Each structure stands twice: as C-alpha cells, then as structure tokens.
Amino acid sequence: MTHIPPPAEELRLLDHELRQLDARRAQLLHRRAWLVTALHTAAMPASAPPPVVSRRPETSAPRVQNVLLVLGGVLLTIAAMAFTLVSWGHLGITGRALVLGGITVAVLAAPVPLLKRGLRSTAESVAGLGLALTVLDAYALHKVALTDVDATGYVAAASAALAALWTAYALLPRASTLRLPLPAALVAAQLPLTLWAVAADAGLSGITAAVLVTAGFDTGVALRVPAKSVRITAMTGAYGMGAWGVCAAGWLSWTAAGPSAAARAAALLLLAAGVALTAAWHQVAEKQAPGLTVTAGLLAVAAVGGTARSVLPDAWTVPAYLACGIALLAAVRLGRLPQTVRLGLTRASVAVQALALLWTLPLVGVTLLGPLAWAEQVWSGAPDDVRAAVTVSMPWPPHAETVPVVLAVVAVVLVLAVRDGVWRPRALTGVLVLAWATALVLPSVLEVPYVAGLVALGLTTAGALAAAAWTRPSERPETGPAPQPTPAPGFPTPRPTATVLAVLTSLTLTFLSLTGEPATLAVLCSLTALFAGASWRPHLAPVTASTALAYAAVLACATGAAADWQPQYTALLVLTVPVAAALLAARLGKSPTTLPVEITGALAGLLAIALATASADLPMLALVLAVCGVVTAGTAIRTDRRPVAYASAALCVLATWVRLAAWDVDTPEAYTLPVTVPALLVGALRRRRDPQASSWTAYGPGLAATLLPSLVTAWGDPDWKRPLLLGLAALALTLLGAGHHLQAPLLLGGTVLALDALHELAPYLVQVTDALPRWAPPALAGLLLLALGATYEQRLRDARRMRDFLGNMR
C-alpha cells in the first residue's frame, strides 16, 4: 500500500522541492546571460576609429573683413590727428593747406572707384576716414586762421557746415549708395541751433527752444526719409533732444515767477506737444502712435495748466490742471481724429484725472484715520470744529481746500463721459466712491462746527446705506434691447462698495464721537438703529445685522461707563447682545445672515466674559459664564448647531467651578462630579441611540474626570475616609463593567481599585521591606522569574484569553 504522509509532513516536503527548483532555475538563468554576452561580443566587428570632426571657424570672413577695415580707418584717423596736432607747425600756410586739402579730397574721392570694383565695406571705411578728416580740417582752420572767434559759435558754425557738406557728399551720384554720410550729417545737425543759442546768451528758454526745434527737425527727417539707418538716427535724436527739451520746459513752467515766464514755458511745451502730435498723426498705424498722443496731451495740459497756475492761488493749481485734462475729452469729441489719436488723448485725460485724485488721498486719509487718536483721549472734551477733531494727531495737508472740488468734478466727468455698456457699472462705482469721499472731507474743509460735522458724517453713512439698499447690481445699456455682459470679475459693483463705505464712515464717526459722553451715546444709538433698520434688506443683512450687534455691544459698554458701573455689571448689560444674536439666528434659520450674526454674538459674549474677569468678582463671573452657557445651549438645540453643545457644557462647568471657588470649596469631587454626571448621562443617551458605540467614548471621559483627580488626592490624603469611599466606588464600577461587559468601567474601576489598595498597603509593605534582610528581595524576584519561565506557555495562553475577553467588551 502507498504510504501517505500526514498533511504537515507533505507540506514540508513540497516546500523543500520548490526551493530546490528555484535555486536551479536561478543558476540556469545566470549561465544563459553569460552565454548571450559572449556571443554578442564575438559577433561585433572591430571598432572603427572615431570620425575626424572639422573645427568650425570662430568668426566669419565678412566679420573679419569689417574688423580689419574699421581698425584700419581708426589707425589712419589717429595718424591724421597726430599730424594735425604735432607736425602742423613745421609746415607753412601753403603746405598745410595743400597737405590737408589734398589728403581730404583724395580720401573722399577714393570710395567711388572702390564701389565700382564692388568693395563696399572698404568704401564705407574710407568714407568714414574722409568724414573724420573734414572734422580735423575744421579744427585746424580754427587753430590757424580763426583763433579770435568764440569757440562755441565756431563749433556751431562748423557743425552746420559739416552737416551740409556731408549731406551734399551723400547726394553725389557716385557716393549716394554709401550708408555712413547721411547719418553722420544728421548727428552733426544736432549741435548748431543749441550751440548758437548758448553762444548768443539766449537763456534757458532760448536754449530749450533750440533743442525742441532740433527735435522737430529730427522728427521730420524720421517721417520723410525712407532709409533705415537715417530713420533710426533721426528717431534717436528726436527722442533724446525731445526728452531734454520737455524736461527743461516743464521745469521753466513749474518755476515760472509770473504770467510772462509761464507763457514762454507754455509756448515751448505746446511746441513739443505739436511735434509729438504730428508724429502720431503721420504714424497712426505704428505702435508708437498711442504713446506719442498721450505725451502730446500731457504736454498740452502742462502748458495751459502752468499758465493758469501762475495767476491762480496755490490751492487751485491741481483744479487748473484737471480742467485742462478734462478739456482733452472735449477735443476728442469735437474733431474728426483718427482712432489712435482719440485713444491717446483719452488716456492722457484719464492720467491727468488719476493724478488729481492721487493728490486728494492725503486729505481723505487724514479724515478717515485722524479720529483714531481719540481712542486714547476718550471723553476729554470736544473741539470747536471738525478739522480740529480730525487733526488731533495728524497734520492738515497744505492747499487742500479744493479737494472736494476735484473729487466732485471727476465724479461728474465719469457720469457724463462713460457710456459704454461694460464700463458703465464700473464708472458708477467710481462715482459712488468719489461722492462718498467728497461728503467725507467736506465738513473738515469747511471747518463746520463739531456737532454739525457729526451730523454730516451720520448722513453720509445713511446715504451710503441707502445707495447699497436701492442700487441695482448691474446696469443695462441705454440703447438696444439686449443686455450687455455683466462686469468682469475683479471690478466691484455698487452694492458691496456702498456697504463697505457705510461701515468705514460709521467707524470714523464712532471714533470722532469719543470726544464727549453725550456724543458717544447718541452716535452709537443712531448707528445701532440705522444698521438694524438696513438689515431688513436681505442682501445687506449679512453685513448690517452683525454691524448693528457690534455697535449694540459697544453701546452697552459706553452706557455702563457713563453710569459709572463696575465692569462686571457692564458685562451683564453686554450679555443682551449674545441673547439677541441667538434669538435672531434661530429666527433666520439657514439664511446667509445667520453665521455673521452668530459670530458677532460669540464675540460679544467673549467681551462680557473679559469684563467680568477683569473685575475679579467670582460670583459675577460665574453668573456671566452661566448665562453664556444657557445661550449656547439654546443654540445647540438646533440640528445644524449640535457641536455648540460642547461649548455650552464647558461654559456651564466653568461657571460651576468659579462658583465653588467663590465659596472656598477645595474638595476636588465638588469640581469633578458636576462634569462626570452630565457626561455619563450624555454617554448613556448615545449608547441608547448607537448600541455599537464604544464604552470608552460614552463613559470614559466622564469616569476619568472624577476617578483620576480623586485618586491623586487620595494618595496624598492621610485620612482613611476618602480612600475607602474611592475604593468602594471603584469596586462598584468594576463589578458593573464586568456584569455588563463594558471595558471602560471595568479597566478604569479595576485600575483605580488596585492603586487605591496599593496606597492603603504601602505602609505595611514598607514595614515588611524593612524587616526583611537585604538578600530576600533579589531571591524572591529570582523565584518569581523561575516560576514564570516554567509556566510561560500557560501564561501566554491565559493572556490571550484575557485579551479576547476584553476585546469582546464594548
């Protein structure tokens, strides 16, 4: 009969055979890889030598040629200069003229045969040498025959003559193909007018005029001459000379001492503007046309505005420039201008208006932020007017009397000028901001009485809220049945902008009212009522309702301070705000307003707790905490606010602890039992609803809250009553956990019971330890280890059974 081994033996044999097969397979695979490598090496041909790579030249032949030609021309020019400066005095007048004249004529004539032979680069180099020799001829002429002539005037005349000579040379039939003479002539033409003005002592105005005329000449050349090299040179000269002339003319306009000087500077600026506008008009299809038009518009504004500034007070300087900038928009609408020019003039007008608004920012900042300083001087006395109130810690900006005029004018321009369906809502938002800024700064500018200023700010707040309440979120176009697209993201609509402005104004008004007690109470009452009334509009309620509650909390604090109450009693008055917030949130349900209202109520509750804590009155602090706990418990009744119950429990526990501390109770169970009992009740309810819930989750926190502090206290208690009661309670919990198969009561109760018993036996153990000889503890420990080792397997089995038993518990 066939022998069949037991399953365990058969499995062992199969595993052994599989291991042998795996080892043999690995050996065969290794041998196969070696054979494949050997065959591949034998089949490869002999390695060929690496290909020879030709080295590329580092520079091209034309480049080498140009370098050699330029270097040769430079060396010849240096030689000519050395001859002129050093060897000139050794020749007579005839010899000098013959040498330089002959050399110059020969060099200037040499490019013609070179061009016939096709040597263009060589011809250009020789022509450059000839142009340099003409400059040396002019220098030599001044040194020999015209030494008494003024150097500046002579350079001006020489540069003009050289420019004419080089231009004529470039226009010769045989030399017209040369590229260098015409740009060189244009460079020389930059000097005559400016140097003549300097030589004639024409002053800064005359020099500036010469520079601008030169820039105009360069602009004409750039517009008329098709050659690229000439156009680039002319454009460089036009931009360089034009920038110099514009800066000088602007400086003259700004520092003009009277109308005549301002008029002369304005004429210069208008000349520059005309040049820029002409260039833009002739290059409407170019990319530079919008920039040139913007420059022309700004220069025209600077010219006319500077003239007006010379006859107006300093406060009207910015309005004068603003009026000129607005006039550009009228010019755009009147004439038949190319679209590019119209766009550039519009941008110039927008830039002027933006700069004017930037000038108004310091005053707006002083009006908004200046009242913050009254937080450090509460109820110290009201000043005479609003300007003194807002400048209590900040200086008044100079010449700010016309700021409301600038703000109002720009707002009117936005209303009248912007008609596009897409930009219209954005313009209306800007109008709203400008109108608000005008109303904000006007009382300070007019120096109205303090009370009237408070009323004006209150009306501004009410107006902003009204605009937010009744303004449509977007505008439709005035023509056409189809609506335009809504504003692009990133641009505010009037509604949220007006709401933010209302809140900002109310904050300024609140700080400004801190000068006196009646003003503070009146303003806070008015703002609370105003924002509460605005909360009836659903789209405003998320902001206005919470703002009204915040002002109500501040009003409660101010009322308590006015009544000379202690902080703890003021805290009770502040608690009306969390109560109102909880009731309002319960009524609102899932409205967007609910969360802001609840957050504001929570902050007001924290304020009340802080006030009660600052007073160090424990009974009142306990009362405040209890009220907050009741309010949060009421909020936790709602199904969507269940987590608030944890905060409610914490507040109630804190209130209980503070009350016990006020009674001088030092028994820990008095503090822990009020936590344990509700926690166990909540755990029992959870276990009833969810039978799968763990006993550690349901009962663990509550039991630990009492057992652990009591155990720590019992270990330091020399009396027998607390350890006895703690042991009985722990025994009851252990039996209860064992009877109901609950882990938390069983383990917590058993642990506390064992530690409590150890505490009670500790004195006796100490006595026994002292009575035993010193060799007895090590001997007992050794016997214990031998016993454990002998029954190790049985102990492991017992431990597994205990683990399974505890794992089956909840």
Side-chain angles (χ1 to χ4, degrees), residues 182-592:
L182 278 180
L186 190 58
V187 171
Q190 308 300 309
L191 301 177
L193 286 178
T194 305
L195 293 178
W196 274 333
V198 173
D201 292 331
L204 187 56
S205 298
I207 297 173
T208 304
V211 171
L212 291 176
V213 170
T214 305
F217 169 74
D218 293 335
T219 303
V221 173
L223 293 176
R224 295 297 181 182
V225 179
K228 184 177 180 181
S229 59
V230 178
R231 289 190 62 189
I232 293 175
T233 306
M235 289 176 62
T236 304
Y239 282 115
M241 301 297 283
W244 179 16
V246 165
C247 292
W251 174 255
L252 289 173
S253 177
W254 187 255
T255 58
S260 59
R264 290 193 297 270
L268 295 175
L269 289 172
L270 289 176
L271 174 61
V275 172
L277 187 60
T278 303
W281 197 290
H282 285 82
Q283 291 184 332
V284 292
E286 300 292 336
K287 295 181 179 180
Q288 297 87 354
L292 291 172
T293 309
V294 171
T295 303
L298 294 177
L299 290 175
V301 169
V304 182
T307 305
R309 184 188 63 83
S310 63
V311 297
L312 293 174
D314 292 337
W316 291 92
T317 298
V318 175
Y321 284 105
L322 178 62
C324 298
I326 295 172
L328 291 178
L329 293 178
V332 170
R333 294 182 179 273
L334 291 178
R336 294 183 178 180
L337 303 176
Q339 181 62 28
T340 305
V341 176
R342 292 164 61 92
L343 179 61
L345 293 179
T346 302
R347 290 177 178 176
S349 177
V350 171
V352 173
Q353 297 179 55
L355 291 174
L357 292 179
L358 188 64
W359 173 73
T360 65
L361 289 182
L363 181 58
V364 176
V366 168
T367 308
L368 271 178
L369 304 178
L372 296 178
W374 288 105
E376 300 178 355
Q377 308 175 32
V378 178
W379 297 351
S380 59
D384 296 332
D385 55 66
V386 179
R387 181 181 296 188
V390 300
T391 57
V392 65
S393 63
M394 303 178 69
W396 182 259
H399 313 306
E401 292 78 9
T402 55
V403 167
V405 177
V406 173
L407 294 171
V409 169
V410 176
V412 172
V413 170
L414 284 177
V415 172
L416 298 178
V418 182
R419 298 291 182 180
D420 183 76
V422 176
W423 286 94
R424 182 71 173 175
R426 305 169 188 174
L428 292 180
T429 302
V431 169
L432 179 63
V433 175
L434 292 174
W436 166 79
T438 304
L440 182 69
V441 303
L442 191 59
S444 301
V445 172
L446 298 179
E447 295 183 273
V448 299
Y450 174 73
V451 177
L454 293 181
V455 174
L457 287 177
L459 293 176
T460 303
T461 305
L465 282 178
W470 284 284
T471 302
R472 290 178 295 174
S474 61
E475 294 274 344
R476 288 191 176 185
E478 297 183 356
T479 58
Q484 293 289 337
T486 56
F491 288 90
T493 56
R495 277 184 174 179
T497 303
T499 307
V500 172
L501 295 179
V503 175
L504 283 178
T505 312
S506 67
L507 290 174
T508 301
L509 177 59
T510 301
F511 282 102
L512 198 62
S513 68
L514 296 178
T515 57
E517 176 184 324
T520 303
L521 296 177
V523 167
L524 291 175
C525 288
S526 302
L527 291 178
T528 302
L530 180 63
F531 281 96
S535 300
W536 291 105
R537 302 289 291 182
H539 61 279
L540 298 181
V543 176
T544 56
S546 57
T547 305
L549 290 173
Y551 280 125
V554 178
L555 176 61
C557 295
T559 303
D564 200 16
W565 288 357
Q566 295 295 326
Q568 63 270 26
Y569 301 108
T570 303
L572 294 177
L573 188 59
V574 174
L575 283 178
T576 58
V577 176
V579 174
L583 296 176
L584 181 59
R587 181 179 179 85
L588 292 173
K590 296 183 178 180
S591 171

Side-chain angles (χ1 to χ4, degrees), residues 14-28:
L14 290 176
D15 290 339
H16 178 70
E17 293 292 334
L18 289 174
R19 283 194 297 270
Q20 288 184 343
L21 289 175
D22 290 338
R24 182 59 178 168
R25 185 174 184 275
Q27 183 181 5
L28 293 176

